Amino acid sequence: MPVPGSGLAKGLAVTLRTMTRRSVTAHYPDALPELPPRSRGVIGLFEENCTVCMLCARECPDWCIYIDSHKETMPAASPGGRERSRNVLDRFAIDFALCMYCGICIDVCPFDALFWSPEFEYAETDIRDLTHERDKLRDWMWTVPEPPPLDPAAEEPKEVGAARKTADKLAARQEESAQEESAGPGAADSGPAGSGPAPERGEQEGDS
C-alpha cells in the first residue's frame, strides 16, 4: 500500500536536485547556439551553376520551388558553326512555408547549384513573406560552411581525376609546341654544315 504523499515527496526531491544544479539554458538571442556542420536551416542558391533543368522543381514533393526562364540564342563560336540556344534564369523562389526540409532538391541537382545553409533566423510575421526569391537565396549561399576534408585513404573522385588527366594532356601539348617553336621552322630539314647532294657516278668518271 503506497504511503500517502509519497508522490509529492518524490516530486519535491526532483525539484530540490534540479535547483542545486547549474542551469544549461542558452539565452537566445544573446547566446547563439552551436549548430552541427550539417544543420538544415535554409537552402542557398549558387546561381552560376543553375542550368534551369527544372529537376529540383519536378522532384520536390511539396512543389514549393518556383522557376521561370526564357531561351536566348547564342551566336556560333566559329565561322560556319551553328547557333545554340540556352536557358536563362528569370526567377528561382522557394516557399519555406511549404518546404519540409527533406533535401531532395539538393540531392538531385546534377550541377551543385543548391546547398544547405545553417541559417535559421528567417521568421516572418506574415506567412506570405516566407517565399524567398533568388536574391535572398544567393545571400544565404555565402553562409554555407565548407565541406569537411576528405579521408586521406579515400579514393580520388572521378571528376578530379578526369580534370587532372585533361590538364596533364594540355600541359604536354603546350610543352611540345613550345619546343617546336624554340627549335625553329627549318631546323629539322637542314643537314650538317657544308654537306650537299652527293655527285652522280657519271660526273665522277668524266672528271677523272
Side-chain angles (χ1 to χ4, degrees):
M1 181 177 180
V3 179
S6 60
L8 179 61
K10 291 180 181 179
L12 292 175
V14 173
T15 302
L16 291 175
R17 286 198 304 268
T18 306
M19 290 175 60
T20 58
R21 296 176 183 175
R22 185 177 180 181
S23 176
V24 294
T25 303
H27 298 281
Y28 177 82
D30 297 331
L32 297 178
E34 295 182 1
L35 301 175
R38 300 181 65 183
S39 298
R40 296 189 175 189
V42 292
I43 298 174
L45 171 65
F46 192 59
E47 188 175 337
E48 285 74 9
N49 286 358
C50 182
T51 61
V52 201
C53 65
M54 306 293 292
L55 192 58
C56 57
R58 290 197 301 265
E59 296 295 332
C60 177
D62 291 333
W63 288 49
C64 64
I65 301 177
Y66 312 114
I67 301 176
D68 294 330
S69 65
H70 69 277
K71 288 185 177 294
E72 287 186 357
T73 302
M74 304 297 296
S78 60
R82 295 176 57 186
E83 296 182 347
R84 295 185 178 183
S85 62
R86 68 183 184 96
N87 291 323
V88 179
L89 183 66
D90 293 330
R91 185 194 182 199
F92 194 107
I94 299 178
D95 187 355
F96 286 96
L98 299 176
C99 178
M100 64 180 185
Y101 305 92
C102 63
I104 292 178
C105 58
I106 298 176
D107 295 336
V108 301
C109 180
F111 301 103
D112 292 335
L114 299 174
F115 296 87
W116 278 119
S117 167
E119 184 67 32
F120 62 93
E121 297 178 317
Y122 58 97
E124 301 288 348
T125 57
D126 191 346
I127 193 174
R128 292 171 294 183
D129 295 334
L130 286 175
T131 301
H132 294 290
E133 301 293 334
R134 65 176 182 176
D135 294 337
K136 187 64 176 180
L137 300 179
R138 184 178 179 84
D139 292 340
W140 282 333
M141 182 62 205
W142 311 123
T143 63
V144 174
E146 295 183 1
L150 296 177
D151 190 342
E155 296 182 358
E156 185 181 50
K158 295 181 180 180
E159 295 82 359
V160 177
R164 181 176 288 107
K165 290 181 181 179
T166 304
D168 293 341
K169 291 181 181 179
L170 182 60
R173 291 177 183 175
Q174 292 178 351
E175 185 177 356
E176 291 177 359
S177 60
Q179 291 178 356
E180 292 177 357
E181 291 178 358
S182 62
D189 299 335
S190 61
S195 63
E200 296 182 359
R201 185 175 180 181
E203 294 179 358
Q204 294 178 354
E205 294 176 354
D207 295 338
S208 60

